[in-house]
Amino acid sequence: MFNVSKKSMQWGDETLTLETGKVARQADGSVIATLGETSVMANVTFAKEPKPGQDFFPLTVHYQEKYYAAGKVPGGFFKREARPTEKETLTSRLIDRPIRPLFVSGFKHEVLVICTVLSHDLVNDPDIVAMIAASAALTISGAPFLGPIAAARVGFSNGNYVLNPDVADMDQLRNNPEQRLDLVVAGTKDAVMMVESEAYELSEDEMLGAVTFAHEQIQPVIDLIVDLAEDAAKEPFDFQPPEYGALYETVRAAGEDKMRAAYGITDKQQRVAAVSAAREDIRAGLTEEQLEDPNLGSALKKLESAVLRGDVVRNGRRIDGRALDEVRPIVSETGFLPRTHGSALFTRGETQALVVSTLGTGEDEQIIDALHANYRSNFLLHYNFPPYSVGEVGRFGPPGRREIGHGKLAWRALQAVLPAATDFPYTIRLVSEITESNGSSSMASVCGGSLSMMDAGVPLKAPVAGVAMGLVLEDDGEYAILTDILGDEDHLGDMDFKVAGTESGITSLQMDIKVAGITPEIMKAALAQAKAGRMHILGEMAKALTEAQDFSVHAPRIETMQVPTDKIREVIGSGGKVIREIVEVSGAKVDINDDGIVKIASPNGEAIKKAYDMIYSIVAEPEEGKVYKGKVVKIVDFGAFVNFFGKRDGLVHVSQIENRRLNHPSDVLKEGQEVWVKLLGFDDRGKVRLSMKMIDQETGEETKSEETAE
């Protein structure tokens, strides 16, 4: 009934297995990849005919995590997986980016890749397994896919690269000083196709070494996929790339000069209008048959690419007239908004980000329901890209994959320099509003985010800047590396990579490569040029702000205190009664975690002190010999009970009330009266012994009487 093909190999400390032929047999390609006990099923289908008039490649990748894979029930009201989580969206992009350039040029059939996590051992991250499964499924599907690719994760600990570190090692990397890198690399046999990373001020050589290490480690995985394909691959789909050489020559002859003139305009809006006019002029000179040719769009794009790329490589001339390594003019402003906790407006050429910081308390931490575990995040970065930022009328709604991906890249770049939660017990939320865009708004978010947090008083370890780099690589091996690329240079170039970091090193690297032939030497040169660009941008940012500012009067102040874990219940009280009373009486927010760390927050310093004192009185132990102010709560024949330390009561024996004999304590005391007492100690049964006669009841100071306690 089944025609099963199964291949296995030892990969690092785990066994990697690829299997096909048993499940989802109606898909064009279906592979279950297993690493350790983490299994992901990838299913590929593709349309056998393109949609008429479609002028783009409609590839869709969905990565989905099923909670049953880890033996969990989803949270929320409906108790089922709903809209994609951030991790699912980011992993979908992670799979899409390296496979998209590997489809045969001109293939515009709809392709759907669905990766489903079936089992998770909580050790091996399913994102790497999903990338391998998707590659294998595409390779055996018969689609015109020039793979396979493979992927690996790399850590960097104690100067050594680590292949596929455990999930726990990568979890909340900021709190794990032993681990300085979380890098994902995908590539073919001959080339690196994609890099995504979170780093802790690594040098350019260390980052390049990690990329090289990963590319070496994926080679046996690529061989395993090829081995599987030899047994299980379907017949290649009969697809011939469209031939439109004659049409292109006609287009070029009709419009090359006009297109070159259009791309000579430095202002973006004027250039866009001129390029559009050049296209219309070209169309006006074509026959009706040529206008109906489905390859006309491709021919026009090819002309634009040839014009732009040729000028860059041969003449060193860019669209806006800059030198290859020149960064556009930068203006940085802080304190842009009057009421927010921190704000910055970062403008670089025609790209602009308004980044706003908000400081919150522990109540504002994001609870993330992840497949491997639930955890809290006290640093949030949200990126918004409205249509007006590029002068367009378009869809406006919830954040899409691009916005989530760009926001995460900026998050990775900045979180490496955040202070420890114990030193700065705030939840930090950054929102980047992209108000203009012409190249690398994510890196503008990094620069603006760094300035905004410093404006809010966040003591960053160092400012962070980011720069987007590009590459044009010609067939003869000639190339040009571009610093601070424009949108058009991104679309028509061969490599887009973004580097963010401090003066000391890289905190994030993202690289997407569209062609083979990018050598380590080219990458090294690109990283060196990116470093120079980053240093220039940091210098420009320093003109606006060099260090953290004072807190906004509108931001909450937070004080932390540590209480013994066995006292947590007393601070909270039955049903939260005690902590609610503290909040109501003091006016401060109070948050306590399972480790006994209490965060007290309020813009009012007096409210913080009041809450602190109330909590201290609950958890602290009274000290022998110390003087306390108390209240008489009960009078008996042999003395008075005084509440003197939170809820702690003690006995003042009748002989300890005054330096004279009393007939009865009520001669000088009444219930509710405030008195000063000294803690003498504890009797054999642990009862508290107090004295009043040693203390001046007016001042609370000890008297100089040499009388001792009886």
Side-chain angles (χ1 to χ4, degrees), residues 98 101-102 146 187-193 215 309 471-475 477 479 494-495 512-520 522-523:
L102 292 175
L146 303 178
T188 63
K189 190 76 174 173
D190 302 316
V192 171
M193 300 302 297
H215 193 235
R309 293 165 62 92
L471 176 78
V472 177
L473 176 64
E474 296 292 65
D475 293 337
Y479 67 89
D494 297 317
M495 179 168 70
D512 290 299
I513 300 169
K514 304 169 188 175
V515 296
I518 309 295
T519 64
I522 293 176
M523 287 189 197

Side-chain angles (χ1 to χ4, degrees), residues 312-343:
V312 167
V313 174
R314 286 190 298 272
N315 306 321
R317 183 178 182 279
R318 300 172 66 175
I319 297 173
D320 56 0
R322 279 182 293 148
L324 299 182
D325 61 352
E326 185 180 349
V327 178
R328 288 171 289 174
I330 290 172
V331 177
S332 302
E333 302 173 56
T334 56
F336 188 74
L337 301 175
R339 183 79 186 194
T340 59
H341 298 168
S343 61

Side-chain angles (χ1 to χ4, degrees), residues 543-608:
K543 295 176 182 178
L545 207 59
T546 57
E547 60 185 17
Q549 302 299 290
D550 293 335
F551 268 36
S552 163
V553 295
H554 306 297
R557 267 56 176 175
I558 298 180
E559 187 165 331
T560 61
M561 64 185 296
Q562 178 77 52
V563 303
T565 53
D566 59 351
K567 296 283 188 179
I568 294 175
R569 181 176 295 179
E570 295 180 37
V571 175
I572 296 174
S574 177
K577 179 181 178 181
V578 175
I579 200 167
R580 281 199 304 271
E581 181 184 353
I582 295 170
V583 170
E584 289 170 5
V585 171
S586 68
K589 285 185 178 181
V590 179
D591 179 69
I592 183 168
N593 68 17
D594 294 339
D595 297 322
I597 297 174
V598 182
K599 296 179 183 178
I600 309 168
S602 173
N604 186 333
E606 288 297 319
I608 291 177

Side-chain angles (χ1 to χ4, degrees), residues 259-260 262-263 271 275 279 297-313 317-319 438 469-474 480 482 485-496 512-515:
M259 196 66 75
R260 197 175 301 280
Y263 274 113
R271 182 172 62 252
V275 169
R279 288 194 192 114
S298 298
L300 289 168
K301 286 181 182 177
K302 184 176 179 180
L303 174 60
E304 292 179 36
S305 178
V307 167
L308 186 148
R309 293 165 62 92
D311 273 359
V312 167
V313 174
R317 183 178 182 279
R318 300 172 66 175
I319 297 173
N438 185 15
M469 308 293 293
L471 176 78
V472 177
L473 176 64
E474 296 292 65
L482 311 179
I485 55 175
L486 303 175
D488 288 332
E489 292 171 334
D490 182 4
H491 299 151
L492 300 176
D494 297 317
M495 179 168 70
D496 166 31
D512 290 299
I513 300 169
K514 304 169 188 175
V515 296

Side-chain angles (χ1 to χ4, degrees), residues 178-426:
E178 300 299 320
Q179 195 51 271
R180 297 179 59 206
L181 177 67
D182 181 359
L183 176 92
V184 175
V185 175
T188 63
K189 190 76 174 173
D190 302 316
V192 171
M193 300 302 297
M194 186 275 298
V195 177
E196 185 77 45
S197 69
E198 172 185 333
Y200 288 77
E201 297 184 296
L202 268 65
S203 70
E204 279 68 17
D205 286 342
E206 287 170 333
M207 289 296 290
L208 187 57
V211 173
T212 303
F213 172 80
H215 193 235
E216 292 169 352
Q217 296 299 316
I218 66 175
Q219 297 306 312
V221 180
I222 292 172
D223 293 338
L224 187 72
I225 296 173
V226 171
D227 194 16
L228 178 73
E230 288 175 351
D231 288 351
K234 294 182 178 178
E235 287 297 318
F237 178 67
D238 185 16
F239 173 76
Q240 296 299 323
E243 172 55 46
Y244 56 92
L247 177 62
Y248 172 69
E249 288 303 323
T250 302
V251 167
R252 187 178 66 80
E256 182 175 3
D257 292 342
K258 295 172 184 175
M259 196 66 75
R260 197 175 301 280
Y263 274 113
I265 299 172
T266 56
D267 180 80
K268 178 187 175 182
Q269 296 296 335
Q270 295 178 20
R271 182 172 62 252
V272 169
V275 169
S276 179
R279 288 194 192 114
E280 291 305 314
D281 286 346
I282 292 170
R283 287 190 177 95
L286 299 178
T287 66
E288 201 164 308
E289 182 182 355
Q290 289 170 329
L291 288 171
E292 293 177 358
D293 193 316
N295 298 307
L296 177 58
S298 298
L300 289 168
K301 286 181 182 177
K302 184 176 179 180
L303 174 60
E304 292 179 36
S305 178
V307 167
L308 186 148
R309 293 165 62 92
D311 273 359
V312 167
V313 174
R314 286 190 298 272
N315 306 321
R317 183 178 182 279
R318 300 172 66 175
I319 297 173
D320 56 0
R322 279 182 293 148
L324 299 182
D325 61 352
E326 185 180 349
V327 178
R328 288 171 289 174
I330 290 172
V331 177
S332 302
E333 302 173 56
T334 56
F336 188 74
L337 301 175
R339 183 79 186 194
T340 59
H341 298 168
S343 61
L345 184 69
F346 180 84
T347 308
R348 186 187 61 243
E350 295 169 308
T351 296
Q352 185 180 74
L354 172 60
V355 189
V356 182
S357 299
T358 306
L359 303 180
T361 65
E363 291 181 354
D364 301 309
E365 290 182 345
Q366 183 177 16
I367 301 173
I368 298 174
D369 186 15
L371 194 59
H372 64 277
N374 293 354
Y375 63 94
R376 290 175 174 265
S377 175
N378 69 344
F379 178 50
L380 317 174
L381 193 153
H382 298 138
Y383 165 104
N384 298 313
F385 191 89
Y388 66 74
S389 66
V390 287
E392 294 179 356
V393 177
R395 169 189 170 275
F396 185 71
R401 288 187 174 189
R402 181 182 182 278
E403 289 172 301
I404 292 171
H406 280 46
K408 189 65 174 183
L409 174 60
W411 180 92
R412 289 190 177 106
L414 290 168
Q415 62 92 42
V417 298
L418 294 178
T422 51
D423 300 329
F424 191 77
Y426 290 83

